[in-house]
Amino acid sequence: MRTPHAEKGMAVGLFGGSFNPPHAGHALVAETALRRLRLDQLWWMITPGNPLKNTADLAGMAERLQWCREIADDPRIRFTTFEAAHNFRYTEETLRYLRRRNTGVNFVWIMGADSLAGFHRWQNWRNIAETVPIAVFDRPGSTLAYLSSRMAKTYDFARVDEDDAALLARMKPPAWTFIHGPRSALSSTAIRRGEADPSGL
């Protein structure tokens, strides 16, 4: 339930979600983020639940944590449920806590392009964008989100070319990039409905 340990100067990716359940698409984003952003660590943060989504069918925290551990085995990945321990529900309060307790660590927020479209509905979304660099990863059907979303339009001036993604974690926010690459059409909703296999097979 505690936050992972990171040394000053490290580049650390923050990959949050309900992961209900996690799947090969999540593992692909994590793997791509580690490589393209040149991260020292990636914190896979299993959240208590998304305030913008129905949590009625949310599996237990311990179960989701175990699922995540089974689907990703890179030694640079740290799995954590600290948000539940502190009753954090919003990204802004999570970031405030992490920055206060990890002075000198270079955090970068990681999310899929499908989340970018509704990012402006996150609580105090502008504060988030101006607190930590953001890396947005392409998702099927969401490629144009980086052009049409309110966040992308508002912070167009702060967009970083994806060729410079390796520098993102150490940039002063607002700074964000859109990373194209291998994509997975898997979704946790489809898996819960029995319409897809978490492995992507």
Side-chain angles (χ1 to χ4, degrees), residues 114-135:
D114 50 334
S115 295
L116 181 64
F119 186 72
H120 63 281
R121 295 193 293 123
W122 293 23
Q123 180 165 285
N124 296 328
W125 65 279
R126 291 174 185 267
N127 286 351
I128 297 172
E130 295 173 13
T131 295
V132 64
I134 298 172

Side-chain angles (χ1 to χ4, degrees), residues 100-170:
R100 185 172 64 247
R101 293 183 55 101
N102 296 274
T103 304
V105 174
N106 302 294
F107 289 115
V108 55
W109 187 260
I110 295 167
M111 67 180 186
D114 50 334
S115 295
L116 181 64
F119 186 72
H120 63 281
R121 295 193 293 123
W122 293 23
Q123 180 165 285
N124 296 328
W125 65 279
R126 291 174 185 267
N127 286 351
I128 297 172
E130 295 173 13
T131 295
V132 64
I134 298 172
V136 182
F137 288 80
D138 202 0
R139 288 272 292 159
S142 301
T143 302
L144 297 181
Y146 77 99
L147 294 175
S148 61
S149 74
R150 184 173 173 185
M151 182 275 193
K153 291 178 178 179
T154 301
Y155 291 100
D156 179 66
F157 70 93
R159 186 181 173 199
V160 176
D161 191 287
E162 67 177 300
D163 288 341
D164 295 322
L167 306 174
L168 185 67
R170 293 179 171 83

Side-chain angles (χ1 to χ4, degrees), residues 13-134:
L14 301 175
F15 186 32
S18 55
F19 302 111
N20 187 46
H23 51 68
H26 293 131
L28 179 61
V29 168
E31 174 189 328
T32 305
L34 283 163
R35 183 179 72 254
R36 295 290 301 275
L37 302 176
R38 295 187 187 173
L39 301 176
D40 297 298
Q41 293 181 12
L42 183 145
W43 293 3
W44 192 309
M45 305 186 303
I46 300 93
T47 70
N50 187 332
L52 297 177
K53 294 182 179 180
N54 185 348
T55 58
D57 59 354
L58 192 64
M61 183 68 73
E63 189 173 16
R64 287 183 286 134
L65 175 60
Q66 182 58 36
W67 289 340
C68 290
R69 285 174 170 160
E70 291 172 356
I71 207 165
D73 59 2
D74 191 295
R76 292 169 293 178
I77 295 177
R78 308 285 191 270
F79 301 97
T80 178
T81 60
F82 78 90
E83 288 177 299
H86 295 279
N87 198 31
F88 292 159
R89 298 283 297 187
Y90 300 103
T91 298
E92 183 191 30
E93 57 188 345
T94 293
L95 292 176
R96 188 185 309 121
Y97 174 83
L98 289 178
R99 283 167 55 85
R100 185 172 64 247
R101 293 183 55 101
N102 296 274
T103 304
V105 174
N106 302 294
F107 289 115
V108 55
W109 187 260
I110 295 167
M111 67 180 186
D114 50 334
S115 295
L116 181 64
F119 186 72
H120 63 281
R121 295 193 293 123
W122 293 23
Q123 180 165 285
N124 296 328
W125 65 279
R126 291 174 185 267
N127 286 351
I128 297 172
E130 295 173 13
T131 295
V132 64
I134 298 172

